[in-house]
Amino acid sequence: SHRAAFDSVGTTVAVFASCLYIVYPAENAKLAREIIDHGALISEYSLGTKPKADNFPRRNRIMSGMSLGVLVIEAGERSGALITATQALEQNREVFAVPGSVFSPASRGTNRLIQEGAKLITDCNDILEELNLTIVAQQLEMKEVVIADETESQLLKELSAEPSHIDEICRRSGLPMATVSSNLAMMELKGLVKQVGSMNYVLTREIRKGS
């Protein structure tokens, strides 16, 4: 099988334990095509390399190395996921684990990780807070929101790649300071503008590209 890692903007990267043109198991072919559309397939193995048992734990070090942290949902006492968790620790990555029943063999590994210091996870917000990614998540969500009103549209017209001080933005737009300040704060959260220096604002690169 192939494991996937996610970067900070939601891109999916699948790491193969074989060469790139051998999809294993074969029923994952549709999934592989979907990942190509939204991310990438990578492998360190040369053409013709078939998936072997030894390739999988070796492959997992790439996944842990390219990630900020590793989340283990279930793991037995001799699970390959525990090998990946160990690799993550060696690479100075965070390790997270979902707790389970003490009577469940599938939770013995995760419970032991927590006992040894892994971060106990109950929902995705625990991970975001631990990695200080809550603001990033808010920005990604807010970026999907269209321009809210005429005030935002007007302020966008007054901004460019060159920094503009908030006083100058007020003067050019004719809007009061309180209105400009509150709207710029919301627009920054949405990822539309960025504050550079002391109260100077520029359009983000994404907005400049789209304009």
Side-chain angles (χ1 to χ4, degrees), residues 62-174:
I62 299 175
M63 293 172 42
S64 59
M66 66 189 295
S67 304
L68 294 175
V70 170
L71 170 63
V72 183
I73 298 174
E74 285 188 335
E77 290 182 298
R78 297 182 179 275
S79 170
L82 297 182
I83 298 176
T84 306
T86 300
Q87 292 168 335
L89 289 173
E90 293 172 349
Q91 295 164 330
N92 294 319
R93 301 301 191 264
E94 298 292 337
V95 175
F96 311 99
V98 177
S101 170
V102 295
F103 301 107
S104 171
S107 295
R108 288 174 183 166
T110 51
N111 290 342
R112 180 161 63 84
L113 285 174
I114 294 170
Q115 193 175 37
E116 294 175 352
K119 174 75 173 180
L120 189 152
I121 298 300
T122 57
D123 62 43
C124 63
N125 290 322
D126 294 334
I127 297 176
L128 295 177
E129 289 176 4
E130 187 69 18
L131 297 177
N132 198 27
L133 294 176
T134 51
I135 296 300
V136 174
Q138 291 172 3
Q139 287 179 338
L140 290 173
E141 182 178 350
M142 297 293 283
K143 278 183 180 180
E144 302 301 322
V145 180
V146 296
I147 304 303
D149 52 33
E150 293 182 5
T151 301
E152 285 191 2
S153 297
Q154 184 177 354
L155 291 176
L156 286 175
K157 293 176 182 178
E158 303 299 338
L159 293 165
S160 67
E162 295 298 322
S164 296
H165 192 271
I166 191 170
D167 291 339
E168 181 65 18
I169 299 171
C170 289
R171 187 189 65 78
R172 293 200 303 260
S173 66

